[in-house]
Amino acid sequence: MTFKVLHESLPLSSSYSLRTASFTMGGGPAIVSQNAGFLHLITDTRPWYKNKRILLLNLWVALLLITSSTNGYDGSMMNGLQSISQWETAFNNPTGGKLGLLNAIQNIGSLAAYPFSPYVTDGFGRRPAIFFGAVVMVGATILQTASNSVGMFIGARFLIGFGLTFAASAAPLLVTEIAYPTQRAQATSMYNTLWYLGSIIAAWTTFGTFSLNNSWAWRIPSALQGLPSVMQIFLIWFVPESPRWLVSKGREAEALKTLAYYHANGNANDPLVQYEFEEIRAAIAFDRDVAANVGWVSLFKTPGNRRRMRIILALAFFSQWSGNGLVSYYLNKVFIALGITDNFTQLLINGILNIFNFIVAIVAGFLCDKVGRRRLFMTSTIGMLVFWTLQTACFAVYTEHGSKMAAHAVIAMIFLFYGFYDLAFTPLIVSYTVEILPFSLRAKGFTVFNFAISLSLIFNQYVNPIALAKLGWKYYLVYVAWLIFETVFCYIFIIETKNRSLEETAALFDGDETVKMISEQAAEHAGITHNDEKHSNSSNEKVSTTHIE
């Protein structure tokens, strides 16, 4: 079986020829792009922070990114609450299946919303979906903070998960669809990275409140979970709607106005804006021609879509089944197994780990276009396999011989394991998923991705505490075998997508002819030259401007 590697020999404004070379399966299906086709169209060379419109756009992007912080806050908060005696007492010291339900119910709530979220996101727009989700989460957070019974707490967490699905299904789509082209990959990579911002805040909040001698030790962390949603309720209508969504609804004038306002300081005739606009139109028209009635079956109907979904579903499960689930929700149980029973020490290590994860993930997110997605995924999986294996060995030595040195080594291995996990599976799983999906399938495909994550989380949250209690360090061997499978899968199937526009990236899975067709149509309708001579002379020509204030 062979795979093809595509090499871009000319910028997209030129005649866009593609050369192909065959490689065996052992080489993996890497797709390499040398240059982004839109880079030569950028005429404003100022740093982004000196461009008021792009600066404003990035502030709106930041408002969308904190949706992920709500999710990260939840995981770390539940981890921290298990080390707060007041919470343990209030809810009758939950263990086993009851503890699993308290953690898993948020994801069960998410599952309940998945059938509806893509229709709200595609039908009413990205912003209304985020607003609705934020309203539900604020109400649920109030209920969670006021809880005086296990049932009330569980009900509140179900609603948090239900609302989060609507916001989290739309926010990363809007980020990737409004971001400035050269910043799209990094901006979208920051979405999942900011999971750790919420996690850090929760970890240090529970660390700061655990010494309170009343129920506010756990009610304060519960209340703070709603803060990002409150901000979104008041500010979401200032955020621009997706130009892709506007074009899909026939509102092309509004889409062009949005692109011009934020990407070219109001110049609707700017070459970059015209190219973006025409490429969006061409890609959406192509999607309509291929599938006039886009339903759930369309996700698996064509070879290109099946290739997309194979990767998307795998990444969803890999992101939760790499061993990280033991640390994300049950770190204190691991600490107890290692003989670390002091609450202060548990919460301190948890807080430091989250800061470490956040720093590594941010660095990796900014490197995604320079290093490439495929290289980051391969480095990540190999590193996780190495340090999880070492962690397993140290855990076994501690269990069998009671060595304190081995216990300390386990903690070090946890940090190193997470360092490699954060290279790819924190910054890239969301950005890679949304960029390889075409617009018509982006909301539904991303919903399937989130659905798969919820399924994997529910499994983790029920199985991990039981298996860890029954098998101890031997349970870690299951993840060693799984990580070997992950490494082989990523080596064979992960495709390189760096330095391409959103429409080009999505079209890669439909073949090089589709990429060529969309790019040429966009260049032709935008009035961009098609040969090197015209391209070289274009810098000397004056471009007419129509400013949008």
Side-chain angles (χ1 to χ4, degrees), residues 32 75 103 160-161 174 181 215 247 297 322 343 409 419 426:
V32 182
N103 278 319
I160 288 174
L174 189 51
S215 64
V247 169
V297 177
S322 297
N343 287 351
T426 295

Side-chain angles (χ1 to χ4, degrees), residues 10 18 128 195 210 296 343 384 450 467 474 501:
L10 294 172
L18 293 171
W195 187 97
F210 89 99
W296 294 97
N343 287 351
M384 285 194 296
N450 284 319
K474 294 177 182 178
S501 72

Side-chain angles (χ1 to χ4, degrees), residues 239-522:
V239 178
E241 184 55 271
S242 164
R244 275 89 177 167
W245 183 83
L246 292 170
V247 169
S248 74
K249 298 301 180 183
R251 296 159 62 178
E252 294 187 356
E254 293 177 59
L256 180 59
K257 181 178 180 179
T258 298
L259 289 170
Y261 185 87
Y262 287 103
H263 292 185
N265 290 309
N267 181 10
N269 288 327
D270 181 86
L272 174 65
V273 169
Q274 283 294 313
Y275 184 83
E276 285 185 282
F277 179 63
E278 294 299 342
E279 190 176 45
I280 291 168
R281 291 179 65 200
I284 291 177
F286 172 77
D287 291 341
R288 284 173 177 160
D289 290 340
V290 172
N293 183 20
V294 179
W296 294 97
V297 177
S298 299
L299 292 170
F300 303 93
K301 206 168 186 178
T302 67
N305 288 344
R306 287 192 290 273
R307 285 191 289 269
R308 291 181 178 101
M309 295 312 298
R310 176 175 59 199
I311 293 173
I312 288 169
L313 289 171
L315 291 182
F317 284 99
F318 291 172
S319 70
Q320 305 304 322
W321 285 3
S322 297
N324 54 304
L326 282 175
V327 180
S328 295
Y329 278 82
Y330 297 104
L331 183 59
N332 74 313
K333 304 301 179 189
V334 176
F335 285 152
I336 291 170
L338 293 171
I340 302 172
T341 57
D342 176 59
N343 287 351
F344 179 89
T345 303
Q346 290 180 1
L347 291 168
L348 182 61
I349 294 174
N350 185 32
I352 294 172
L353 178 62
N354 279 288
I355 293 173
F356 171 76
N357 288 335
F358 187 46
I359 293 171
V360 175
I362 284 179
V363 172
F366 282 116
L367 290 175
C368 63
D369 265 346
K370 292 183 179 180
V371 177
R373 280 69 150 169
R374 178 176 166 81
R375 186 176 294 176
L376 286 173
F377 272 115
M378 289 309 306
T379 304
S380 177
T381 51
I382 293 171
M384 285 194 296
L385 175 59
V386 169
F387 288 106
W388 186 268
T389 303
L390 292 174
Q391 185 181 158
T392 303
C394 293
F395 198 175
V397 170
Y398 171 78
T399 303
E400 300 298 328
H401 304 289
S403 168
K404 288 188 175 180
M405 289 287 290
H408 294 156
V410 170
I411 302 300
M413 291 304 111
I414 287 175
F415 275 80
L416 291 170
F417 164 82
Y418 256 104
F420 280 93
Y421 177 92
D422 293 326
L423 286 180
F425 287 91
T426 295
L428 296 185
I429 58 168
V430 169
S431 61
Y432 194 78
T433 294
V434 299
E435 74 181 4
I436 68 175
L437 286 164
F439 174 82
S440 61
L441 297 175
R442 193 165 289 141
K444 289 185 175 67
F446 190 56
T447 296
V448 171
F449 169 80
N450 284 319
F451 179 80
I453 283 184
S454 291
L455 287 180
S456 61
L457 280 171
I458 291 169
F459 174 87
N460 272 0
Q461 291 158 356
Y462 271 116
V463 172
N464 279 342
I466 297 170
L468 188 61
K470 294 285 186 182
L471 300 176
W473 70 268
K474 294 177 182 178
Y475 182 49
Y476 278 50
L477 294 173
V478 174
Y479 288 108
V480 172
W482 183 256
L483 283 167
I484 293 172
F485 170 71
E486 283 187 21
T487 303
V488 174
F489 182 95
C490 290
Y491 182 70
I492 295 173
F493 294 116
I494 292 296
I495 293 174
E496 185 55 74
T497 62
K498 69 176 181 177
N499 294 327
R500 290 186 179 271
S501 72
L502 188 57
E503 279 65 37
E504 292 164 29
T505 300
L508 282 173
F509 288 79
D510 297 310
D512 51 324
E513 287 301 317
T514 302
V515 179
K516 179 180 178 182
M517 181 271 293
I518 290 175
S519 301
E520 286 184 344
Q521 282 190 15

